[in-house]
Amino acid sequence: MRTVRFFSLRRSWPWLAFAFVLVVAAVLTYTQQWLGQAKYWADEDNFDQTERDASIWLPGYRPVIQAKPLKDLEDDETSDLTYNPDTKTLFTVTGKEPLLVELSLEGDVLRRIALIGFSNPEGVAMLSNGNMAITDERRRTLSIFKLGPVALELRAIDTREFDLGYADSGNKGFEGIAWDPAQQRLLLGKERAPTAMFSWSSDGTSGLEGKMEPLPSNELYMRNISALSVDPRTGHSLVLSAQSKLLLELDEHGQPVSFISLWGGMNGLHDSIPRAEGVAIDEDGTIYMVSEPNLFYVFRKDKNADPL
């Protein structure tokens, strides 16, 4: 019996070692995440009131709409969000059934646009002059187009498509996309493996210039990137992570400024946001968010809010 156990253990030790490595990697990942957030918290104290007033300053935000269901989208999985300043409406995309959905600022569904020829749309952004962009994670493409005011379908073949590369990324491709008018570029966020941000020069219409360039992403301390948005007032970026339950503000140089936790009991949230997949900010600084499967949130600045 002892001999049998010896050989059984010898055969299984590679699997035990592999399991041990996975556990250690998971612990290190979570440790790095929480240490990173602790660093954000400590760094916030270095900003004086003038600097805070010149930023988005997320600790002052509180939810005014929480977990409102988006009608008839519970089976479609909403992903990403963008704000259209011309129509004062929002747009989201859905992955299970490829749709582009127009929403009111209160989270009411106004229009459903069928995305013909798209596979897994994950990112959406308003550009300039009425142009929009959609990233398709499975096809690894970025599509730029103009959407008519009453259009009910959009065909991929009628858009201008660009290859995002990372052919082996599978379901870990580009989810975040945002238009940065001040720096004339598109910001792109790769979900994970690796979690990273990129920029691509553009005039915000139908063209992209040069090639996609990596941005410093070492201080994100996020398990994934779900969505991106750019504040039209400050030029600062919002980076959303569903797995880390975190919304992070970066300045125009990509340095962390402030953050807000999306766990229940924090920052006025009754319950944790299940899986935050989209974020947008308007010209007044109001922040909008969507979570899978179909939940809608609105955050506004409360100057008297306690940052905890």
Side-chain angles (χ1 to χ4, degrees):
M1 290 295 292
R2 291 180 181 174
T3 302
V4 172
R5 288 176 181 173
F6 174 76
F7 280 108
S8 176
L9 179 61
R10 189 169 65 177
R11 291 192 188 100
S12 61
W13 80 262
W15 294 104
L16 293 173
F18 180 67
F20 176 76
V21 170
L22 288 180
V23 170
V24 170
V27 170
L28 289 175
T29 297
Y30 277 97
T31 300
Q32 183 187 45
Q33 173 189 336
W34 288 111
L35 287 176
Q37 292 188 27
K39 182 178 183 299
Y40 295 153
W41 217 317
D43 288 347
E44 284 180 351
D45 288 337
N46 296 324
F47 290 87
D48 61 30
Q49 192 59 50
T50 300
E51 292 172 312
R52 296 182 183 195
D53 291 342
S55 71
I56 302 171
W57 201 249
L58 294 172
Y61 277 81
R62 293 294 180 271
V64 295
I65 296 178
Q66 298 194 47
K68 177 180 178 177
L70 296 173
K71 187 176 179 181
D72 298 329
L73 294 178
E74 58 271 13
D75 296 325
D76 298 318
E77 293 189 354
T78 54
S79 181
D80 210 3
L81 195 65
T82 191
Y83 170 71
N84 185 341
D86 295 328
T87 59
K88 310 294 185 187
T89 59
L90 301 161
F91 284 88
T92 186
V93 287
T94 65
K96 280 194 172 180
E97 178 185 355
L99 292 171
L100 176 63
V101 182
E102 188 173 12
L103 306 171
S104 73
L105 300 185
E106 293 74 38
D108 299 316
V109 175
L110 303 176
R111 180 168 46 146
R112 298 162 61 105
I113 300 108
L115 297 177
I116 311 299
F118 290 82
S119 178
N120 186 29
E122 287 284 352
V124 59
M126 284 301 310
L127 309 183
S128 65
N129 299 321
N131 289 279
M132 298 183 72
I134 286 177
T135 57
D136 191 316
E137 188 174 31
R138 192 167 295 134
R139 295 170 66 234
R140 304 180 305 281
T141 57
L142 185 156
S143 299
I144 297 179
F145 57 93
K146 271 195 173 182
L147 183 72
V150 295
L152 295 179
E153 70 174 32
L154 173 70
R155 298 180 178 274
I157 197 172
D158 295 328
T159 70
R160 187 172 181 186
E161 287 194 338
F162 300 86
D163 184 5
L164 292 173
Y166 287 90
D168 299 326
S169 61
N171 197 37
K172 304 173 185 177
F174 288 87
E175 290 201 355
I177 181 171
W179 165 239
D180 183 355
Q183 300 196 53
Q184 290 287 288
R185 63 179 181 174
L186 282 174
L187 294 179
L188 294 153
K190 189 175 182 298
E191 181 185 11
R192 51 196 172 95
T195 297
M197 289 180 59
F198 300 82
S199 69
W200 204 333
S201 295
S202 172
D203 60 2
T205 57
S206 60
L208 296 174
E209 300 173 6
K211 61 180 182 179
M212 189 167 56
E213 300 288 349
L215 294 173
S217 305
N218 297 331
E219 295 189 26
L220 292 180
Y221 302 113
M222 289 178 164
R223 295 176 60 200
N224 78 322
I225 293 177
S226 301
L228 301 170
S229 189
V230 175
D231 180 15
R233 305 163 305 157
T234 64
H236 289 192
S237 305
L238 293 174
V239 186
L240 180 66
S241 174
Q243 293 184 16
S244 297
K245 294 192 183 301
L246 183 74
L247 181 64
L248 176 66
E249 175 188 2
L250 302 178
D251 67 16
E252 63 273 25
H253 306 295
Q255 296 301 308
V257 176
S258 70
F259 79 101
I260 190 172
S261 172
L262 306 180
W263 289 98
M266 301 290 286
N267 306 293
L269 284 167
H270 301 319
D271 300 298
S272 299
I273 298 181
R275 187 170 178 85
E277 291 286 342
V279 65
I281 185 168
D282 66 19
E283 64 272 10
D284 296 322
T286 301
I287 295 175
Y288 308 89
M289 200 175 293
V290 290
S291 170
E292 289 184 355
N294 67 326
L295 302 179
F296 181 77
Y297 299 78
V298 178
F299 296 80
R300 290 199 178 97
K301 179 68 71 70
D302 179 358
K303 294 183 178 180
N304 298 317
D306 188 291
L308 297 178

